[in-house]
Amino acid sequence: MRPSTRVLAAVAASALLAAGCSRAATSTSTPASTGTSTASPAQSAAETSAAGDFGTLKNVCHGGSATGQTDQGVTSSSIKAGVLTDVGFTKDPQLENAAKAFTSWCNAAGGIDGRKLVTDIHDTQLLQVVPAMTSACGSDFVLAGGSAALDGLSVATRLKCLLPDFDEQPTMAQNAGSALQVAPVTFNYTYSGYTGYYDWLLSKYPGSAKHVAVVTAQSVITEVDTKMVSATIQADGGSAATVISFPETGVANWTPYAESIKSKGIKGFVFYGTPQELAALEQALDNIGYQPDWIDTNTDNYTAGFIQIDGKALTQQHNYAPLNGVYPVEKAAANPAVEQIVSLLKQYAPGQPVSLQVLQAFSAWLIFAVSAESCGADLTRSCVYQAALKQTAWTGGGITAPVDMATPLAAPDCFDIEQATPAGWEAAPFDPNNGVYRCGEPALKLGSGYPAPLQLSTVGKTLADLK
């Protein structure tokens, strides 16, 4: 599911806390604040062909003569943008890689009207999200291209200091669709983001509709997403999902879980766990000769790494992942914006993967840059946020299906589905009707029982306070 990458990290953290220790205390993370990366002398083809263009977006970054200390984090020469990340805990530098590549590219093209972008990395170490946000409140102009597993805990802190957030991917319900937030994909807990996806799965495998499960670590953290999945499957004609839980501290032997799936007659299941855990479960299913109709790997496992470790199980099990309107990485050569991201990662983070998270981070950076550029010399938080809301069909230059930035609590409209094969990820036969996407996804309002996203009124503020 959409928030799985952060949910899994949070599940792991709760396991550590239950054991009476905190990995954050012994982390060897990067410093909390770093200066901007500089461009390589040898520019890539993506930079030299049209220095400030990105995909279909023209003149995003360029030189100029903007001057003045117009807001916190803005000087005549620079703009400081904070990046929230759990890298100290996860050891996953994807958001740092995206920030380095984007800002290096933009600065090489001249910056934002001549002001250079400076990244301010705030490592939450997973559990220190409120102190990280407090640090950002004290120094940054905005947040851009970041995300955190426990982001819902720091929303009030961000709103109190009126810090706009160009979020790569909101995670917790309290943050998804919260005030002063702009995100490159439509995801919230007002509407389900998976009605079209599960409708397709249950139509392709009609015998699975009444035999669905969610296989998940034992944690309150995944309860909200399990509830949303079950409600969506029921709305699409299936039954309430059976929940099969495993210890959040890990599993040494997956055979009993494979046998439970078989004995319960489960024909399709959603998995909340790491790629290593899912691969081990699938291999256990192979060993007992059981093949469900489908397995929803969720976006967490939409990686080349999952293909490598799942091995022979890919020939036996049917794995699918919903991309929620983000362009498939493996089709980069057919998409100038995604191809440009691949080129920039090779240049500024060689050997690092281009993932769904990286694509979304680039789109978040781009919406910030385009909005800031439109403000000219008089760059303020109010101007950049209001400018972003004018983008009612944002694609990040071709990275995603159109998103209305002015309506964060809208129902998602477009989706795409990937399937895992021994040769890699490829598009599933889901009948796209708009390029690589299927649009016109039926809206499913989730109703009560989900935490509401925090608004400015929660902290005694109004939009008029944003200057």
PDB file of all heavy atoms in Angstrom, residues 99-131:
ATOM      1  N   ALA A  99      17.425  14.483  -3.209  1.00  0.00           N
ATOM      2  CA  ALA A  99      17.703  15.883  -2.885  1.00  0.00           C
ATOM      3  C   ALA A  99      19.024  16.336  -3.488  1.00  0.00           C
ATOM      4  O   ALA A  99      19.130  17.429  -4.064  1.00  0.00           O
ATOM      5  CB  ALA A  99      17.713  16.075  -1.365  1.00  0.00           C
ATOM      6  N   LYS A 100      20.050  15.508  -3.383  1.00  0.00           N
ATOM      7  CA  LYS A 100      21.362  15.851  -3.932  1.00  0.00           C
ATOM      8  C   LYS A 100      21.290  15.997  -5.445  1.00  0.00           C
ATOM      9  O   LYS A 100      21.803  16.967  -6.018  1.00  0.00           O
ATOM     10  CB  LYS A 100      22.381  14.776  -3.565  1.00  0.00           C
ATOM     11  CG  LYS A 100      23.761  15.018  -4.157  1.00  0.00           C
ATOM     12  CD  LYS A 100      24.718  13.896  -3.773  1.00  0.00           C
ATOM     13  CE  LYS A 100      26.104  14.124  -4.382  1.00  0.00           C
ATOM     14  NZ  LYS A 100      27.047  13.033  -4.038  1.00  0.00           N
ATOM     15  N   ALA A 101      20.633  15.041  -6.106  1.00  0.00           N
ATOM     16  CA  ALA A 101      20.573  15.074  -7.565  1.00  0.00           C
ATOM     17  C   ALA A 101      19.759  16.256  -8.061  1.00  0.00           C
ATOM     18  O   ALA A 101      20.166  16.965  -8.998  1.00  0.00           O
ATOM     19  CB  ALA A 101      19.987  13.759  -8.087  1.00  0.00           C
ATOM     20  N   PHE A 102      18.595  16.495  -7.440  1.00  0.00           N
ATOM     21  CA  PHE A 102      17.757  17.589  -7.923  1.00  0.00           C
ATOM     22  C   PHE A 102      18.413  18.947  -7.696  1.00  0.00           C
ATOM     23  O   PHE A 102      18.462  19.786  -8.598  1.00  0.00           O
ATOM     24  CB  PHE A 102      16.373  17.579  -7.273  1.00  0.00           C
ATOM     25  CG  PHE A 102      15.528  18.724  -7.752  1.00  0.00           C
ATOM     26  CD1 PHE A 102      14.842  18.632  -8.950  1.00  0.00           C
ATOM     27  CD2 PHE A 102      15.460  19.918  -7.039  1.00  0.00           C
ATOM     28  CE1 PHE A 102      14.099  19.709  -9.435  1.00  0.00           C
ATOM     29  CE2 PHE A 102      14.721  20.996  -7.510  1.00  0.00           C
ATOM     30  CZ  PHE A 102      14.038  20.884  -8.711  1.00  0.00           C
ATOM     31  N   THR A 103      18.888  19.201  -6.477  1.00  0.00           N
ATOM     32  CA  THR A 103      19.451  20.515  -6.190  1.00  0.00           C
ATOM     33  C   THR A 103      20.725  20.767  -6.978  1.00  0.00           C
ATOM     34  O   THR A 103      20.988  21.903  -7.394  1.00  0.00           O
ATOM     35  CB  THR A 103      19.715  20.688  -4.688  1.00  0.00           C
ATOM     36  OG1 THR A 103      20.585  19.642  -4.220  1.00  0.00           O
ATOM     37  CG2 THR A 103      18.411  20.627  -3.891  1.00  0.00           C
ATOM     38  N   SER A 104      21.514  19.717  -7.207  1.00  0.00           N
ATOM     39  CA  SER A 104      22.720  19.889  -8.023  1.00  0.00           C
ATOM     40  C   SER A 104      22.351  20.267  -9.448  1.00  0.00           C
ATOM     41  O   SER A 104      22.959  21.155 -10.051  1.00  0.00           O
ATOM     42  CB  SER A 104      23.545  18.597  -8.013  1.00  0.00           C
ATOM     43  OG  SER A 104      24.021  18.305  -6.719  1.00  0.00           O
ATOM     44  N   TRP A 105      21.356  19.593  -9.992  1.00  0.00           N
ATOM     45  CA  TRP A 105      20.884  19.923 -11.345  1.00  0.00           C
ATOM     46  C   TRP A 105      20.348  21.342 -11.417  1.00  0.00           C
ATOM     47  O   TRP A 105      20.689  22.117 -12.316  1.00  0.00           O
ATOM     48  CB  TRP A 105      19.794  18.931 -11.763  1.00  0.00           C
ATOM     49  CG  TRP A 105      19.054  19.383 -12.984  1.00  0.00           C
ATOM     50  CD1 TRP A 105      19.448  19.259 -14.275  1.00  0.00           C
ATOM     51  CD2 TRP A 105      17.789  20.069 -13.008  1.00  0.00           C
ATOM     52  NE1 TRP A 105      18.511  19.830 -15.119  1.00  0.00           N
ATOM     53  CE2 TRP A 105      17.488  20.332 -14.366  1.00  0.00           C
ATOM     54  CE3 TRP A 105      16.894  20.489 -12.025  1.00  0.00           C
ATOM     55  CZ2 TRP A 105      16.327  20.986 -14.753  1.00  0.00           C
ATOM     56  CZ3 TRP A 105      15.740  21.138 -12.404  1.00  0.00           C
ATOM     57  CH2 TRP A 105      15.461  21.386 -13.759  1.00  0.00           C
ATOM     58  N   CYS A 106      19.506  21.701 -10.444  1.00  0.00           N
ATOM     59  CA  CYS A 106      18.879  23.021 -10.455  1.00  0.00           C
ATOM     60  C   CYS A 106      19.925  24.123 -10.291  1.00  0.00           C
ATOM     61  O   CYS A 106      19.898  25.135 -11.002  1.00  0.00           O
ATOM     62  CB  CYS A 106      17.836  23.105  -9.339  1.00  0.00           C
ATOM     63  SG  CYS A 106      16.878  24.640  -9.332  1.00  0.00           S
ATOM     64  N   ASN A 107      20.862  23.926  -9.380  1.00  0.00           N
ATOM     65  CA  ASN A 107      21.896  24.938  -9.162  1.00  0.00           C
ATOM     66  C   ASN A 107      22.817  25.084 -10.369  1.00  0.00           C
ATOM     67  O   ASN A 107      23.274  26.186 -10.684  1.00  0.00           O
ATOM     68  CB  ASN A 107      22.704  24.592  -7.908  1.00  0.00           C
ATOM     69  CG  ASN A 107      21.900  24.790  -6.639  1.00  0.00           C
ATOM     70  OD1 ASN A 107      20.889  25.490  -6.624  1.00  0.00           O
ATOM     71  ND2 ASN A 107      22.329  24.142  -5.559  1.00  0.00           N
ATOM     72  N   ALA A 108      23.078  23.962 -11.056  1.00  0.00           N
ATOM     73  CA  ALA A 108      23.896  24.030 -12.269  1.00  0.00           C
ATOM     74  C   ALA A 108      23.193  24.837 -13.358  1.00  0.00           C
ATOM     75  O   ALA A 108      23.844  25.460 -14.204  1.00  0.00           O
ATOM     76  CB  ALA A 108      24.208  22.625 -12.771  1.00  0.00           C
ATOM     77  N   ALA A 109      21.867  24.849 -13.335  1.00  0.00           N
ATOM     78  CA  ALA A 109      21.087  25.611 -14.313  1.00  0.00           C
ATOM     79  C   ALA A 109      20.901  27.071 -13.894  1.00  0.00           C
ATOM     80  O   ALA A 109      20.290  27.848 -14.630  1.00  0.00           O
ATOM     81  CB  ALA A 109      19.719  24.958 -14.513  1.00  0.00           C
ATOM     82  N   GLY A 110      21.377  27.436 -12.701  1.00  0.00           N
ATOM     83  CA  GLY A 110      21.272  28.824 -12.254  1.00  0.00           C
ATOM     84  C   GLY A 110      20.492  29.017 -10.979  1.00  0.00           C
ATOM     85  O   GLY A 110      20.417  30.133 -10.451  1.00  0.00           O
ATOM     86  N   GLY A 111      19.857  27.931 -10.466  1.00  0.00           N
ATOM     87  CA  GLY A 111      19.079  28.039  -9.238  1.00  0.00           C
ATOM     88  C   GLY A 111      17.681  28.572  -9.485  1.00  0.00           C
ATOM     89  O   GLY A 111      17.133  28.474 -10.578  1.00  0.00           O
ATOM     90  N   ILE A 112      17.092  29.139  -8.457  1.00  0.00           N
ATOM     91  CA  ILE A 112      15.755  29.732  -8.552  1.00  0.00           C
ATOM     92  C   ILE A 112      15.917  31.245  -8.674  1.00  0.00           C
ATOM     93  O   ILE A 112      16.199  31.938  -7.696  1.00  0.00           O
ATOM     94  CB  ILE A 112      14.898  29.395  -7.314  1.00  0.00           C
ATOM     95  CG1 ILE A 112      14.854  27.881  -7.071  1.00  0.00           C
ATOM     96  CG2 ILE A 112      13.503  29.978  -7.464  1.00  0.00           C
ATOM     97  CD1 ILE A 112      14.151  27.100  -8.149  1.00  0.00           C
ATOM     98  N   ASP A 113      15.828  31.748  -9.884  1.00  0.00           N
ATOM     99  CA  ASP A 113      16.046  33.173 -10.147  1.00  0.00           C
ATOM    100  C   ASP A 113      17.396  33.633  -9.608  1.00  0.00           C
ATOM    101  O   ASP A 113      17.544  34.759  -9.117  1.00  0.00           O
ATOM    102  CB  ASP A 113      14.920  34.017  -9.529  1.00  0.00           C
ATOM    103  CG  ASP A 113      13.585  33.778 -10.214  1.00  0.00           C
ATOM    104  OD1 ASP A 113      13.531  33.844 -11.447  1.00  0.00           O
ATOM    105  OD2 ASP A 113      12.602  33.494  -9.500  1.00  0.00           O
ATOM    106  N   GLY A 114      18.385  32.758  -9.702  1.00  0.00           N
ATOM    107  CA  GLY A 114      19.738  33.096  -9.274  1.00  0.00           C
ATOM    108  C   GLY A 114      20.069  32.673  -7.860  1.00  0.00           C
ATOM    109  O   GLY A 114      21.253  32.614  -7.491  1.00  0.00           O
ATOM    110  N   ARG A 115      19.065  32.376  -7.040  1.00  0.00           N
ATOM    111  CA  ARG A 115      19.322  31.882  -5.691  1.00  0.00           C
ATOM    112  C   ARG A 115      19.579  30.375  -5.747  1.00  0.00           C
ATOM    113  O   ARG A 115      18.812  29.633  -6.351  1.00  0.00           O
ATOM    114  CB  ARG A 115      18.133  32.156  -4.773  1.00  0.00           C
ATOM    115  CG  ARG A 115      17.883  33.636  -4.452  1.00  0.00           C
ATOM    116  CD  ARG A 115      16.681  33.749  -3.529  1.00  0.00           C
ATOM    117  NE  ARG A 115      16.490  35.084  -2.985  1.00  0.00           N
ATOM    118  CZ  ARG A 115      15.397  35.823  -3.186  1.00  0.00           C
ATOM    119  NH1 ARG A 115      14.420  35.374  -3.961  1.00  0.00           N
ATOM    120  NH2 ARG A 115      15.298  37.016  -2.638  1.00  0.00           N
ATOM    121  N   LYS A 116      20.637  29.922  -5.084  1.00  0.00           N
ATOM    122  CA  LYS A 116      20.969  28.495  -5.094  1.00  0.00           C
ATOM    123  C   LYS A 116      20.215  27.758  -3.987  1.00  0.00           C
ATOM    124  O   LYS A 116      19.989  28.290  -2.891  1.00  0.00           O
ATOM    125  CB  LYS A 116      22.484  28.298  -4.915  1.00  0.00           C
ATOM    126  CG  LYS A 116      23.308  28.919  -6.043  1.00  0.00           C
ATOM    127  CD  LYS A 116      22.943  28.311  -7.402  1.00  0.00           C
ATOM    128  CE  LYS A 116      23.703  28.956  -8.547  1.00  0.00           C
ATOM    129  NZ  LYS A 116      25.123  28.587  -8.549  1.00  0.00           N
ATOM    130  N   LEU A 117      19.810  26.514  -4.294  1.00  0.00           N
ATOM    131  CA  LEU A 117      19.117  25.684  -3.310  1.00  0.00           C
ATOM    132  C   LEU A 117      20.117  25.046  -2.352  1.00  0.00           C
ATOM    133  O   LEU A 117      21.142  24.490  -2.769  1.00  0.00           O
ATOM    134  CB  LEU A 117      18.324  24.582  -4.013  1.00  0.00           C
ATOM    135  CG  LEU A 117      17.107  25.034  -4.827  1.00  0.00           C
ATOM    136  CD1 LEU A 117      16.501  23.852  -5.559  1.00  0.00           C
ATOM    137  CD2 LEU A 117      16.072  25.687  -3.924  1.00  0.00           C
ATOM    138  N   VAL A 118      19.819  25.116  -1.074  1.00  0.00           N
ATOM    139  CA  VAL A 118      20.626  24.485  -0.033  1.00  0.00           C
ATOM    140  C   VAL A 118      19.742  23.473   0.683  1.00  0.00           C
ATOM    141  O   VAL A 118      18.652  23.815   1.157  1.00  0.00           O
ATOM    142  CB  VAL A 118      21.147  25.522   0.978  1.00  0.00           C
ATOM    143  CG1 VAL A 118      21.891  24.834   2.120  1.00  0.00           C
ATOM    144  CG2 VAL A 118      22.043  26.538   0.293  1.00  0.00           C
ATOM    145  N   THR A 119      20.176  22.215   0.740  1.00  0.00           N
ATOM    146  CA  THR A 119      19.394  21.194   1.432  1.00  0.00           C
ATOM    147  C   THR A 119      19.782  21.139   2.900  1.00  0.00           C
ATOM    148  O   THR A 119      20.955  21.197   3.252  1.00  0.00           O
ATOM    149  CB  THR A 119      19.603  19.809   0.791  1.00  0.00           C
ATOM    150  OG1 THR A 119      20.989  19.489   0.798  1.00  0.00           O
ATOM    151  CG2 THR A 119      19.078  19.781  -0.627  1.00  0.00           C
ATOM    152  N   ASP A 120      18.791  21.004   3.746  1.00  0.00           N
ATOM    153  CA  ASP A 120      18.979  20.910   5.191  1.00  0.00           C
ATOM    154  C   ASP A 120      18.379  19.566   5.618  1.00  0.00           C
ATOM    155  O   ASP A 120      17.164  19.451   5.796  1.00  0.00           O
ATOM    156  CB  ASP A 120      18.275  22.078   5.871  1.00  0.00           C
ATOM    157  CG  ASP A 120      18.700  22.273   7.314  1.00  0.00           C
ATOM    158  OD1 ASP A 120      19.688  21.644   7.725  1.00  0.00           O
ATOM    159  OD2 ASP A 120      18.034  23.051   8.013  1.00  0.00           O
ATOM    160  N   ILE A 121      19.231  18.544   5.737  1.00  0.00           N
ATOM    161  CA  ILE A 121      18.756  17.194   6.023  1.00  0.00           C
ATOM    162  C   ILE A 121      18.418  17.048   7.503  1.00  0.00           C
ATOM    163  O   ILE A 121      19.259  17.286   8.371  1.00  0.00           O
ATOM    164  CB  ILE A 121      19.817  16.137   5.635  1.00  0.00           C
ATOM    165  CG1 ILE A 121      20.232  16.294   4.171  1.00  0.00           C
ATOM    166  CG2 ILE A 121      19.276  14.732   5.896  1.00  0.00           C
ATOM    167  CD1 ILE A 121      19.126  16.099   3.164  1.00  0.00           C
ATOM    168  N   HIS A 122      17.186  16.645   7.791  1.00  0.00           N
ATOM    169  CA  HIS A 122      16.742  16.419   9.169  1.00  0.00           C
ATOM    170  C   HIS A 122      16.468  14.926   9.354  1.00  0.00           C
ATOM    171  O   HIS A 122      15.433  14.418   8.934  1.00  0.00           O
ATOM    172  CB  HIS A 122      15.488  17.242   9.471  1.00  0.00           C
ATOM    173  CG  HIS A 122      15.706  18.717   9.346  1.00  0.00           C
ATOM    174  ND1 HIS A 122      16.340  19.469  10.313  1.00  0.00           N
ATOM    175  CD2 HIS A 122      15.400  19.578   8.340  1.00  0.00           C
ATOM    176  CE1 HIS A 122      16.392  20.735   9.926  1.00  0.00           C
ATOM    177  NE2 HIS A 122      15.839  20.823   8.735  1.00  0.00           N
ATOM    178  N   ASP A 123      17.407  14.243   9.968  1.00  0.00           N
ATOM    179  CA  ASP A 123      17.302  12.805  10.188  1.00  0.00           C
ATOM    180  C   ASP A 123      16.493  12.543  11.455  1.00  0.00           C
ATOM    181  O   ASP A 123      16.933  12.846  12.563  1.00  0.00           O
ATOM    182  CB  ASP A 123      18.713  12.212  10.302  1.00  0.00           C
ATOM    183  CG  ASP A 123      18.710  10.707  10.498  1.00  0.00           C
ATOM    184  OD1 ASP A 123      17.616  10.108  10.522  1.00  0.00           O
ATOM    185  OD2 ASP A 123      19.804  10.129  10.628  1.00  0.00           O
ATOM    186  N   THR A 124      15.325  11.961  11.296  1.00  0.00           N
ATOM    187  CA  THR A 124      14.468  11.672  12.446  1.00  0.00           C
ATOM    188  C   THR A 124      14.968  10.477  13.247  1.00  0.00           C
ATOM    189  O   THR A 124      14.513  10.286  14.377  1.00  0.00           O
ATOM    190  CB  THR A 124      13.045  11.337  11.984  1.00  0.00           C
ATOM    191  OG1 THR A 124      13.033  10.053  11.358  1.00  0.00           O
ATOM    192  CG2 THR A 124      12.511  12.388  11.035  1.00  0.00           C
ATOM    193  N   GLN A 125      15.849   9.666  12.650  1.00  0.00           N
ATOM    194  CA  GLN A 125      16.234   8.386  13.245  1.00  0.00           C
ATOM    195  C   GLN A 125      14.978   7.618  13.658  1.00  0.00           C
ATOM    196  O   GLN A 125      14.972   6.863  14.626  1.00  0.00           O
ATOM    197  CB  GLN A 125      17.192   8.585  14.411  1.00  0.00           C
ATOM    198  CG  GLN A 125      18.480   9.285  13.968  1.00  0.00           C
ATOM    199  CD  GLN A 125      19.548   9.304  15.018  1.00  0.00           C
ATOM    200  OE1 GLN A 125      20.015   8.255  15.444  1.00  0.00           O
ATOM    201  NE2 GLN A 125      19.952  10.489  15.434  1.00  0.00           N
ATOM    202  N   LEU A 126      13.918   7.845  12.915  1.00  0.00           N
ATOM    203  CA  LEU A 126      12.590   7.267  13.043  1.00  0.00           C
ATOM    204  C   LEU A 126      11.801   7.811  14.225  1.00  0.00           C
ATOM    205  O   LEU A 126      10.715   8.337  14.062  1.00  0.00           O
ATOM    206  CB  LEU A 126      12.650   5.735  13.118  1.00  0.00           C
ATOM    207  CG  LEU A 126      11.290   5.049  13.012  1.00  0.00           C
ATOM    208  CD1 LEU A 126      10.686   5.268  11.645  1.00  0.00           C
ATOM    209  CD2 LEU A 126      11.400   3.580  13.311  1.00  0.00           C
ATOM    210  N   LEU A 127      12.365   7.716  15.426  1.00  0.00           N
ATOM    211  CA  LEU A 127      11.620   8.055  16.623  1.00  0.00           C
ATOM    212  C   LEU A 127      11.738   9.516  17.028  1.00  0.00           C
ATOM    213  O   LEU A 127      10.969   9.998  17.859  1.00  0.00           O
ATOM    214  CB  LEU A 127      12.087   7.173  17.790  1.00  0.00           C
ATOM    215  CG  LEU A 127      11.934   5.665  17.568  1.00  0.00           C
ATOM    216  CD1 LEU A 127      12.518   4.903  18.740  1.00  0.00           C
ATOM    217  CD2 LEU A 127      10.467   5.298  17.370  1.00  0.00           C
ATOM    218  N   GLN A 128      12.683  10.246  16.445  1.00  0.00           N
ATOM    219  CA  GLN A 128      12.926  11.637  16.824  1.00  0.00           C
ATOM    220  C   GLN A 128      12.321  12.608  15.820  1.00  0.00           C
ATOM    221  O   GLN A 128      12.915  13.630  15.470  1.00  0.00           O
ATOM    222  CB  GLN A 128      14.444  11.870  16.953  1.00  0.00           C
ATOM    223  CG  GLN A 128      15.133  10.971  17.956  1.00  0.00           C
ATOM    224  CD  GLN A 128      14.549  11.124  19.358  1.00  0.00           C
ATOM    225  OE1 GLN A 128      14.346  12.233  19.830  1.00  0.00           O
ATOM    226  NE2 GLN A 128      14.275  10.007  20.013  1.00  0.00           N
ATOM    227  N   VAL A 129      11.116  12.311  15.374  1.00  0.00           N
ATOM    228  CA  VAL A 129      10.502  13.113  14.322  1.00  0.00           C
ATOM    229  C   VAL A 129      10.110  14.504  14.821  1.00  0.00           C
ATOM    230  O   VAL A 129      10.207  15.489  14.078  1.00  0.00           O
ATOM    231  CB  VAL A 129       9.292  12.365  13.703  1.00  0.00           C
ATOM    232  CG1 VAL A 129       8.200  12.125  14.717  1.00  0.00           C
ATOM    233  CG2 VAL A 129       8.757  13.105  12.495  1.00  0.00           C
ATOM    234  N   VAL A 130       9.685  14.621  16.056  1.00  0.00           N
ATOM    235  CA  VAL A 130       9.308  15.944  16.576  1.00  0.00           C
ATOM    236  C   VAL A 130      10.539  16.847  16.738  1.00  0.00           C
ATOM    237  O   VAL A 130      10.517  18.004  16.288  1.00  0.00           O
ATOM    238  CB  VAL A 130       8.523  15.817  17.898  1.00  0.00           C
ATOM    239  CG1 VAL A 130       8.272  17.199  18.505  1.00  0.00           C
ATOM    240  CG2 VAL A 130       7.188  15.117  17.649  1.00  0.00           C
ATOM    241  N   PRO A 131      11.643  16.372  17.351  1.00  0.00           N
ATOM    242  CA  PRO A 131      12.841  17.215  17.382  1.00  0.00           C
ATOM    243  C   PRO A 131      13.347  17.586  15.986  1.00  0.00           C
ATOM    244  O   PRO A 131      13.826  18.704  15.772  1.00  0.00           O
ATOM    245  CB  PRO A 131      13.869  16.346  18.128  1.00  0.00           C
ATOM    246  CG  PRO A 131      13.053  15.453  18.988  1.00  0.00           C
ATOM    247  CD  PRO A 131      11.826  15.159  18.185  1.00  0.00           C
TER     248      PRO A 131
END
